[in-house]
Amino acid sequence: MIETITVRPYAPQDLPEMIALWNEVVEEGIAFPQEEPLTLESGAAFFAGQSHSAVAADTRDGRVLGLYILHPNNVGRCGHLCNASYAVSAQCRGMHIGETLVADCLVQGRALGFRILQFNAVVASNIHARHLYERLGFVQLGTIPGGFRRKDGQYEDICPYYRVLSSIPPLPPQEQPQGKEQEGETPPVEEDPGSRPG
């Protein structure tokens, strides 16, 4: 099925599916730090507020099967670091959609002028995501004991990761993103990976 998947910037008509997908991961309570679900209004503002928001869509019927958001991880002298979150529909995990999303995110991050993609809080038990990130060249910075509170109230370690973007091949000029500048304000929700990118 991966050959029928395309990653593209989101469009307004994608928002209901994007919000449902995001809320699915929030509700699981094992990967995203957020606890409050998005509404149609807050979701529209949230995705529009990113440096880049993209979806993995099935070219056959347009269904949104995954998404990512990309934004600054900090401001000022650290504004060249970016952060991202990924979500893949539970029904589509294990189909390499997550890998496609992360690969596109790396290219878009470089195109937007970021130098490093940093994940602040990858949950230690999110083994599939961690293996994917390491396979794509991310380096683990260490472990923060008990840095994530699961939905069941248990505390779990988190593992920060980073990837230098200078080795990522640049986009052709005609494909350069029209996203926001890298040193713009960080959006209200700025934590990272998530969902077990499938």
Side-chain angles (χ1 to χ4, degrees):
M1 183 179 180
I2 194 67
E3 63 275 6
T4 69
I5 303 300
T6 185
V7 178
R8 56 167 174 78
Y10 87 102
Q13 61 266 27
D14 299 320
L15 283 170
E17 289 180 283
M18 293 171 71
I19 291 166
L21 178 51
W22 183 272
N23 289 345
E24 176 185 312
V25 180
V26 171
E27 176 61 26
E28 287 176 337
I30 57 173
F32 278 3
Q34 293 83 11
E35 297 180 279
E36 296 298 321
L38 295 173
T39 64
L40 188 57
E41 182 179 5
S42 66
F46 175 67
F47 290 114
Q50 309 298 321
S51 300
H52 190 71
S53 295
V55 298
D58 191 327
T59 56
R60 296 171 298 185
D61 55 18
R63 284 185 306 139
V64 173
L65 308 179
L67 64 86
Y68 76 82
I69 58 172
L70 176 68
H71 50 251
N73 195 46
N74 214 314
V75 296
R77 298 187 189 280
C78 293
H80 57 284
L81 278 69
C82 59
N83 176 255
S85 297
Y86 311 92
V88 174
S89 169
Q91 298 177 342
C92 300
R93 292 175 191 165
M95 300 169 61
H96 305 289
I97 294 172
E99 183 170 356
T100 304
L101 289 168
V102 178
D104 188 79
C105 180
L106 290 169
V107 173
Q108 297 295 336
R110 176 173 180 176
L112 285 167
F114 293 109
R115 296 174 61 86
I116 294 171
L117 176 55
Q118 178 177 320
F119 299 151
N120 303 320
V122 183
V123 180
S125 63
N126 198 347
I127 298 299
H128 295 296
R130 293 178 63 193
H131 287 172
L132 169 60
Y133 302 147
E134 290 164 11
R135 190 166 72 249
L136 293 177
F138 286 83
V139 178
Q140 184 177 338
L141 287 168
T143 302
I144 301 173
F148 184 86
R149 177 173 49 79
R150 296 169 59 99
K151 185 177 179 180
D152 62 10
Q154 299 297 310
Y155 287 86
E156 189 171 346
D157 297 349
I158 54 177
C159 307
Y161 280 84
Y162 77 94
R163 171 72 154 86
V164 176
L165 300 180
S166 59
S167 63
I168 303 297
L171 281 173
Q174 66 272 19
E175 295 182 24
Q176 291 294 321
Q178 301 301 312
K180 300 173 181 60
E181 293 298 322
Q182 65 166 329
E183 303 220 17
E185 292 186 6
T186 305
V189 182
E190 57 179 88
E191 272 303 339
D192 48 66
S195 66
R196 309 180 187 154

